[in-house]
């Protein structure tokens, strides 16, 4: 047996080798008599028949470069095709006019994307996309107030605005304010819910985040249903993407999840116009075939809608398979060239490669060739798009991807169509608009095009087109896209879980990570709101002490638990359940963040407020997925992000990349992030309680919380009883321990020590050492949030610039009159506490953990970075020596004493 005849099936016993040989011999005979194309065709036919018969055979990853749904099998679309063509024409015109008019101000926009994808959207809006009232009158049967979730490709936003204008949802003035938001009443460039919260639901730019978010949204919809929160079985998630966008790693990061969990409530529509922003997607290859293989391998149903009906005549002539073979061979870069060249070029360079094709070409007119190769694409014909969408929404057991081939810039004229530069082309000339008008058969007179400014066009509020559009939307459940919020305040949790943290840990050491997890466990037991918590972990839940939640809350799985877990006999065994509350995502911070976003915006998407609690290694939160956190802010998400094992020095032994000394600096750049670095368990209780009030109370705010917690066990003190402690915790600063004057002279040097997180313990020891060994009286302040203190300072400055009288920032007010300089210390780089220096009335000094992390003990790492107690003492003495309050020699003496 040669290598060529080896097969994995040789491992298996063949009950009838003679019959197997006969099949192989028959195939050889067909190949000799009718050629390899005929043999391959028979094999594919046999394979398709086997699958249709329910035989268990592995799927093939690629099919021919033809439509998945034959023309004869396309369902009859229940529509007025002529009416929908006119509606699409108005929308195409106004999308192009809006961008062209904006170019007067150097703003521009994107024209070519929507021009290629118009029918992909129009067909959906007319027949498939359900609005928020879907199900209210019995239609749909479920998901009232949810509708479908639409992830619109960012560059196609002008087309959505144009349709909203035709529907009466936007005015000409608003269209003229496209990309002009500073003055108010403007339209954002892309789908931005925070900028246009009544229209957009989901931000889809940066590219690649939309596909990932859509998958997790579809999965979260199932989660809500399985947990009995809301029946979302009537909701469908649609993600509109570009073929170039699929290069982003996030675009395909969760395909396996969607296939594995059989999310048949999800459809990707990929506009395959074969172009990136500045050139072909796969110039030397075929992006459609590549995507088909990738999605099939992940368990998706793939529907190709590549060729328009003009190609039917060509396929009917292809009796030898030469046309299909040639379509499979031609790379995308060459096919893009065909779309711009004359019939003679196509005859020579496409048909001329094969005698059978050359004979076929003789039967075709030049006009037929131009029609096929220039414009006839599956994505440009509403009947073919309807057939694809119908197949996607009726398919059960797997998600669906529709690969729709189009021409980028279609209907915009020969200067735009299939040109590499069309992404950067921001306007049409008046002659180009005239040509577009004629092509679309719009009743726009020449007199309206006599000036330099092309007009918007509208058939009239009571026109047949507008009435038809509105009737279709009413039947589908109202306008789309649309974002609606029905305020649902969650009941305030009982005081008991927070009181437990306020009491401290007694003599028991406990890390703040464990304190937070214990609080979460208690809050999940709350009768009213407990079931709305959504714990999310990327992996290593046991690292964060969350294994205690496994048996009680369960890990969500749509299949339940189909196996006997290896740790079943243990108290804290790995329990999966269809009603499980924990989302254990595996090793994917990006996937976890997308899950968090779906839960964090459920209050708007589904009218069901959920409380996501996403805990992760702090280093792999903001640094790795900060773009998603920005999108979370755009989507007005609410919930708790928790950076565990925080700080540069508490994660011993993990080395350079696992040491987080800067996530709070990145978090401070996000206007919606409310960030805290609590030092003690009781601070966590106050912060979480306030976060629940702000995000889920009667006057809910569109913010999310970021808490950093540590894995260093310490005695947790009880909450101080002095005035202003809770207010200080919330606002970011309070005096934790005043200097003890006992044994110190009245004129002892004074200092204000300020610390956050685990650094409070180094500062406490330094406070003791300064008093006992150097005669310095230091007050110790707990800085629970450097960024909230900064935010207060910025708000004060802004009010002053407006000429308003404003109260002093919290940090200025509480430090007013405190004697001596201020020295800040944290497990973060100095830039984190330095954010507040300009509002501190005293002389400012800081030390921190600047530089890369390293593997060693905590003590050695802190000595290396100069933040251990001895280093804090030396820094404090140096600040006082600079003021002449201690001798300069004292600083050197301290350095020698502590071995620095």
């Amino acid at each position: 047996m040669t290598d060529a005849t080896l097969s994995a099936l040789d491992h298996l016993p063949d009950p009838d080798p003679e019959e197997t040989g006969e099949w192989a011999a028959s195939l050889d005979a067909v190949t000799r008599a009718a050629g390899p194309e005929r043999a391959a065709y028979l094999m594919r036919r046999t394979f398709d028949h086997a699958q249709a018969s329910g035989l268990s055979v592995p799927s093939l990853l690629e099919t021919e470069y033809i439509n998945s749904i034959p023309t004869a099998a396309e369902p009859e679309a229940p529509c007025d095709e002529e009416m929908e063509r006119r509606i699409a024409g108005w929308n195409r015109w106004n999308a192009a006019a809006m961008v062209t008019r904006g170019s007067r101000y150097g703003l521009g926009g994107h024209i070519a994307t929507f021009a290629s994808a118009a029918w992909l959207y129009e067909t959906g809006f007319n027949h498939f996309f359900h609005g928020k009232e879907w199900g209210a009158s019995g239609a749909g049967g479920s998901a009232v107030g949810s509708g479908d979730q639409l992830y619109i490709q960012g560059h196609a936003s002008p087309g959505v605005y144009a349709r909203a204008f035709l529907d009466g949802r936007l005015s000409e003035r608003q269209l003229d304010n496209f990309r002009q938001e500073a003055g108010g009443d403007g339209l954002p460039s892309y789908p931005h819910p925070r900028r246009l919260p009544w229209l957009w639901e989901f931000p889809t730019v940066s590219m690649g985040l939309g596909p990932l978010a859509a998958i997790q949204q579809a999965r979260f919809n199932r989660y809500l249903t399985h947990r009995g929160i809301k029946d979302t079985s009537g909701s469908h998630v649609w993600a509109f993407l570009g073929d170039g966008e699929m290069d982003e790693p996030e675009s395909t990061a969760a395909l396996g999840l969607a296939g594995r969990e059989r999310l048949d409530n999800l459809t990707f529509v990929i506009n395959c116009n074969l172009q990136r922003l500045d050139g072909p997607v796969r110039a030397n290859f075929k992006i459609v075939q590549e995507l088909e293989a990738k999605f099939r391998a992940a368990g998706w149903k793939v529907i190709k809608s590549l060729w328009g009906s003009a190609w039917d005549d060509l396929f009917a002539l292809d009796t030898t398979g030469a046309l299909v073979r040639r379509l499979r061979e031609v790379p995308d870069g060459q096919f893009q060239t065909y779309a711009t060249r004359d019939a003679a070029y196509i005859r020579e360079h496409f048909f001329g490669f094969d005698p059978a094709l050359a004979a076929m070409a003789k039967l075709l007119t030049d006009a037929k060739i131009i029609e096929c190769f220039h414009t006839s694409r599956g994505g440009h014909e509403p009947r073919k798009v309807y057939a694809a969408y119908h197949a996607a929404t009726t398919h059960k057991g797997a998600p669906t991807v529709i690969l729709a081939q189009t021409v980028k810039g279609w209907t915009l004229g020969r200067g735009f169509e299939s040109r590499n530069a069309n992404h950067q082309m921001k306007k049409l000339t008046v002659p180009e608009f005239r040509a577009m008008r004629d092509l679309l058969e719009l009743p726009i007179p020449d007199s309206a095009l006599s000036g330099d400014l092309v007009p918007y066009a509208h058939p009239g509020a009571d026109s047949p087109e507008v009435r038809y559009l509105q009737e279709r939307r009413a039947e589908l459940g109202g306008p789309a896209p649309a974002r609606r919020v029905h305020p649902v305040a969650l009941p305030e949790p009982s005081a008991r879980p927070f009181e437990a943290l306020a009491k401290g840990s007694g003599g028991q050491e406990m890390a703040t990570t464990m304190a937070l997890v214990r609080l979460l466990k208690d809050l999940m037991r709350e009768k009213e709101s407990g079931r709305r918590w959504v714990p999310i972990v990327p992996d290593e839940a046991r690292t964060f002490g969350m294994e205690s939640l496994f048996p009680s809350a369960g890990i969500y799985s749509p299949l339940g638990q189909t196996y006997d877990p290896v740790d079943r006999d243990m108290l804290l065994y790995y329990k999966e359940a269809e009603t499980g509350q924990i989302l254990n995502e595996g090793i994917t911070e990006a996937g976890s963040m997308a899950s968090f976003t779906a839960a964090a915006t459920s209050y708007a998407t589904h009218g069901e407020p959920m409380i996501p609690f996403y805990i992760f290694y702090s280093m792999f939160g903001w640094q790795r997925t900060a773009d998603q956190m920005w999108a979370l802010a755009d989507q007005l998400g609410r919930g708790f992000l928790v950076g565990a094992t925080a700080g540069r020095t508490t994660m011993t032994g993990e080395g350079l990349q696992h040491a987080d000394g800067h996530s709070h600096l990145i978090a401070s750049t996000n206007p919606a992030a409310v960030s805290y670095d609590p030092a003690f368990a009781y601070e966590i209780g106050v912060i979480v309680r306030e976060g629940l009030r702000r995000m889920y109370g009667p006057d809910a705010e569109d913010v999310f919380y970021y808490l950093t917690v540590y894995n260093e066990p310490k005695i947790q003190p009880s909450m101080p009883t002095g005035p202003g402690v809770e207010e200080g915790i919330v606002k970011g600063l309070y005096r934790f321990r005043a200097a003890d004057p006992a044994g110190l002279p009245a004129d002892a040097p004074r200092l204000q020590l300020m610390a956050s997180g685990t650094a409070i313990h180094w500062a406490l020891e330094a406070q003791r050492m300064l008093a006992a060994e150097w005669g310095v009286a230091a007050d110790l302040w707990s800085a629970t949030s450097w960024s909230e203190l900064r935010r207060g300072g910025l708000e004060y400055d802004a009010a002053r610039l407006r000429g308003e009288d404003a109260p002093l920032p919290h940090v200025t007010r509480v430090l007013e009159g405190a004697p001596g300089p201020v020295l800040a210390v944290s497990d973060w780089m100095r830039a984190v506490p330095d954010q507040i220096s300009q509002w501190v009335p005293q002389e400012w000094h800081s030390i921190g953990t600047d530089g890369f992390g390293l593997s060693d003990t905590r003590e050695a790492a802190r000595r290396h970075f100069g933040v251990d107690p001895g280093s804090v003492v030396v820094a404090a003495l140096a600040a006082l020596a600079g003021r002449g309050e201690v001798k300069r020699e004292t600083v050197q003496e301290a350095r020698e004493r502590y071995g620095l």
Side-chain angles (χ1 to χ4, degrees):
M1 184 175 292
T2 66
D3 289 346
T5 59
L6 285 175
S7 168
L9 297 177
D10 294 333
H11 287 289
L12 307 175
D14 186 344
D16 194 341
E18 184 176 349
E19 181 183 32
T20 304
E22 290 173 356
W23 276 71
S26 297
L27 184 64
D28 291 341
V30 170
T31 303
R32 288 191 300 270
E37 291 296 331
R38 177 60 179 167
Y41 176 84
L42 289 176
M43 288 298 297
R44 292 300 301 267
R45 273 292 190 181
T46 303
F47 184 86
D48 288 348
H49 181 74
Q51 285 192 314
S53 301
L55 296 181
S56 179
V57 291
S59 64
L60 298 177
L61 295 186
E62 287 188 30
T63 60
E64 297 291 4
Y65 200 65
I66 58 177
N67 293 350
S68 301
I69 303 172
T71 299
E74 292 168 1
E76 195 65 36
C79 65
D80 183 335
E81 291 189 19
E82 175 57 26
M83 181 66 73
E84 293 185 11
R85 185 190 65 79
R86 296 206 304 268
I87 291 171
W90 293 112
N91 292 337
R92 286 178 180 278
W93 178 275
N94 289 318
M98 176 174 55
V99 175
T100 298
R101 290 166 71 102
S103 67
R104 293 173 294 162
Y105 309 106
L107 296 170
H110 302 290
I111 304 178
T113 294
F114 177 72
S116 69
W119 278 116
L120 303 180
Y121 291 103
E122 293 294 327
T123 304
F125 283 126
N126 287 330
H127 300 285
F128 291 94
F129 303 158
H130 297 128
K132 293 296 185 182
E133 285 87 33
W134 176 252
S137 59
S142 64
V144 179
S146 297
D148 288 353
Q149 288 79 59
L150 308 180
Y151 288 77
I152 305 294
Q153 191 179 2
H155 293 161
S157 62
V160 177
Y161 290 141
R163 198 170 211 277
F165 169 65
L166 199 67
D167 193 14
R169 301 171 75 197
L170 291 174
S171 66
E172 283 195 17
R173 178 174 176 273
Q174 287 173 300
L175 294 191
D176 260 352
N177 283 341
F178 177 56
R179 294 195 172 197
Q180 298 180 68
E181 300 179 80
D185 205 25
L187 299 181
S189 53
Y190 299 134
H192 291 308
R194 186 170 284 271
R195 291 300 185 205
L196 204 61
W198 61 269
L199 180 73
W200 298 118
E201 281 196 280
F202 308 106
T204 50
V205 179
S206 301
M207 286 192 291
L209 299 189
L212 177 60
I215 290 173
Q216 295 291 6
Q217 181 66 58
R219 195 271 199 106
F220 189 74
N221 289 358
R222 288 279 176 83
Y223 173 89
L224 289 177
T225 299
H226 289 156
R227 290 200 53 228
I229 302 292
K230 183 176 185 177
D231 181 5
T232 64
S233 57
S235 283
H236 200 87
V237 178
W238 298 82
F240 288 84
L241 316 167
D243 48 1
E245 180 178 4
M246 300 309 293
D247 284 346
E248 289 285 0
E250 296 88 352
S251 293
T252 55
L255 297 187
L257 168 67
R260 183 170 64 249
E261 299 201 2
R262 302 173 183 176
L263 297 179
D264 51 21
N265 60 340
L266 170 67
T267 297
F268 275 19
V269 182
I270 303 181
N271 179 17
C272 297
N273 55 38
L274 313 185
Q275 288 185 241
R276 289 196 188 113
L277 306 185
D278 287 314
V281 179
R282 293 289 184 273
N284 295 299
F285 305 94
K286 302 186 80 62
I287 185 60
V288 168
Q289 300 298 89
E290 179 182 323
L291 291 175
E292 178 185 30
K294 190 170 294 187
F295 278 89
R296 281 183 180 273
W300 290 55
K301 177 180 176 61
V302 177
I303 299 174
K304 291 175 175 177
S305 186
L306 307 181
W307 309 114
S309 56
W311 282 83
D312 289 348
D313 295 336
L314 275 67
F315 289 125
L317 295 173
D318 186 27
T319 57
T320 65
L323 176 62
V324 171
R325 181 174 64 252
R326 182 67 178 139
L327 290 175
R328 188 170 63 235
E329 294 170 350
V330 175
D332 287 353
Q334 184 62 44
F335 211 92
Q336 184 182 355
T337 299
Y338 293 148
T340 65
R341 303 302 289 269
D342 59 22
Y345 179 91
I346 299 170
R347 287 181 186 277
E348 177 184 354
H349 292 87
F350 181 84
F351 293 98
F353 274 69
D354 186 290
L357 288 179
M360 180 191 297
K362 293 178 181 179
L363 304 176
L364 304 175
T365 65
D366 285 356
K368 183 68 172 181
I369 290 175
I370 291 298
E371 180 186 12
C372 287
F373 284 82
H374 283 203
T375 61
S376 184
R377 302 290 187 275
H380 295 327
E381 296 191 10
R383 178 171 175 171
K384 294 192 180 297
V385 176
Y386 181 93
Y389 286 7
H390 181 269
T393 53
T394 56
H395 180 72
K396 301 301 178 185
T400 299
V401 59
I402 297 169
L403 304 175
Q405 190 159 271
T406 66
V407 174
K408 193 168 186 178
W410 190 58
T411 73
L412 298 181
R414 304 304 298 159
F416 269 83
E417 293 172 354
S418 292
R419 302 293 177 179
N420 283 337
N422 60 21
H423 181 77
Q424 301 300 328
M425 297 163 71
K426 309 298 184 184
K427 61 182 179 179
L428 276 70
T429 65
V430 171
E432 286 172 328
F433 269 110
R434 285 199 181 97
M436 182 181 180
R437 174 203 60 186
D438 296 341
L439 176 65
L440 299 175
E441 299 179 359
L442 295 174
I444 301 171
D446 283 341
S447 59
L449 301 176
S450 59
D452 295 330
L453 193 62
V454 64
Y456 297 116
H458 198 290
D462 196 39
S463 65
E465 292 93 331
V466 173
R467 289 201 306 270
Y468 182 91
L469 182 155
Q470 293 176 341
E471 287 167 3
R472 294 303 307 140
R473 289 312 316 158
E475 187 173 334
L476 288 166
R483 182 181 183 275
R484 297 183 183 174
V485 178
H486 302 284
V488 180
L490 296 182
E492 185 178 353
S494 63
R496 185 178 304 169
F498 306 103
E499 291 171 348
L501 293 188
K503 292 177 182 177
S505 62
Q508 178 186 4
E509 289 189 336
M510 179 171 60
T512 52
T513 300
M514 184 56 64
L516 182 57
V517 171
R518 287 187 182 180
L519 176 62
L520 170 65
K521 190 173 182 179
D522 288 343
L523 291 172
M524 288 173 63
R525 294 193 183 107
E526 289 287 304
K527 183 177 181 180
E528 298 296 328
S529 60
R531 71 193 188 111
R532 295 189 178 272
W533 284 87
V534 184
I536 301 170
V537 285
D539 198 25
E540 297 194 78
R542 297 180 192 275
T543 300
F544 306 131
M546 295 183 68
E547 68 271 23
S548 61
L549 298 177
F550 288 174
S552 56
I555 299 166
Y556 172 70
S557 168
L559 299 181
Q561 192 154 36
T562 61
Y563 62 94
D564 191 15
V566 67
D567 54 357
R568 183 65 178 83
D569 297 332
M570 299 176 63
L571 179 63
L572 304 180
Y573 70 95
Y574 199 87
K575 177 186 175 183
E576 298 190 68
E578 187 180 30
T579 58
Q581 195 164 355
I582 302 168
L583 292 176
N584 193 6
E585 302 290 5
I587 306 176
T588 167
E589 287 83 4
S592 300
M593 195 63 219
S595 272
F596 181 90
T597 301
T601 53
S602 180
Y603 74 93
T605 307
H606 295 295
E608 295 288 347
M610 304 297 286
I611 314 173
F613 173 95
Y614 169 29
I615 189 167
F616 48 85
Y617 279 116
S618 66
M619 184 63 177
F620 299 128
W622 284 91
Q623 174 160 309
R624 180 167 286 188
T625 59
D627 196 15
Q628 288 178 279
M629 291 161 178
W630 199 266
L632 168 70
D634 191 346
Q635 202 169 324
L636 292 81
R638 304 166 185 170
F640 293 94
L641 295 171
V642 180
T645 61
R648 190 79 83 194
T649 68
T650 60
M651 188 66 172
T652 57
E654 296 290 345
L656 180 149
Q657 195 170 350
H658 285 61
D660 175 21
H662 52 280
S663 68
H664 272 288
L665 197 63
I666 306 175
S668 70
T669 66
N670 193 308
V674 182
S675 304
Y676 287 92
D677 186 33
F680 303 117
Y682 68 79
E683 293 178 353
I684 291 174
V686 172
I687 292 164
V688 170
R689 195 173 196 175
E690 174 65 4
L692 289 172
R693 183 196 68 79
R694 287 186 66 181
M695 295 186 290
Y696 299 94
D699 300 312
E701 301 176 47
D702 297 321
V703 296
F704 60 92
Y705 272 55
Y706 175 53
L707 280 72
T708 43
V709 290
Y710 298 82
N711 65 338
E712 190 170 9
K714 293 289 184 181
I715 298 294
Q716 298 296 328
S718 60
M719 183 170 168
T721 56
V725 172
E726 285 202 37
E727 178 194 21
I729 292 172
V730 169
K731 291 191 173 180
L733 185 69
Y734 69 99
R735 189 164 63 178
F736 171 70
R737 181 170 295 174
D740 185 358
L744 295 175
D747 61 349
R750 297 298 303 271
L751 182 80
Q752 305 301 313
L753 281 178
M754 197 179 288
S756 71
T758 196
I760 200 83
H761 302 288
W762 324 330
L764 271 168
E765 177 62 13
Q767 182 190 42
R768 183 198 65 78
M769 294 164 65
L770 283 166
E773 301 175 25
W774 307 100
V776 173
D779 296 327
L780 178 56
W781 300 76
S782 178
T784 54
S785 177
W786 306 105
S787 61
E788 283 303 288
L789 292 174
R790 176 178 181 269
R791 181 168 284 154
L794 292 173
E795 290 171 355
Y796 170 78
D797 288 354
R800 292 293 299 274
L801 287 172
R802 291 191 300 266
E804 301 171 2
D805 289 330
L808 290 173
H810 177 76
V811 62
T812 308
R813 179 171 55 84
V814 298
L815 285 175
E816 202 167 32
V822 169
L823 173 63
V825 58
S826 72
D827 209 9
W828 308 98
M829 57 195 300
R830 289 175 57 185
V832 174
D834 284 352
Q835 296 176 91
I836 70 168
S837 61
Q838 70 188 83
W839 296 286
V840 172
Q842 291 83 2
E843 181 183 311
W844 175 264
H845 301 270
S846 66
I847 54 176
T849 55
D850 288 77
F852 290 112
L854 74 167
S855 300
D856 213 311
T857 64
R858 292 186 179 115
E859 293 75 15
R862 287 162 189 169
R863 173 58 60 91
H864 169 82
F865 285 110
V867 292
D868 64 317
S871 297
V872 176
V873 169
V874 169
L877 294 174
L880 293 170
R883 297 160 58 93
E885 297 181 22
V886 301
K887 296 178 180 179
R888 291 194 175 275
E889 304 85 70
T890 304
V891 179
Q892 184 59 32
E893 181 185 347
R895 288 185 60 81
E896 293 172 358
R897 179 180 300 184
Y898 302 132
L900 300 179

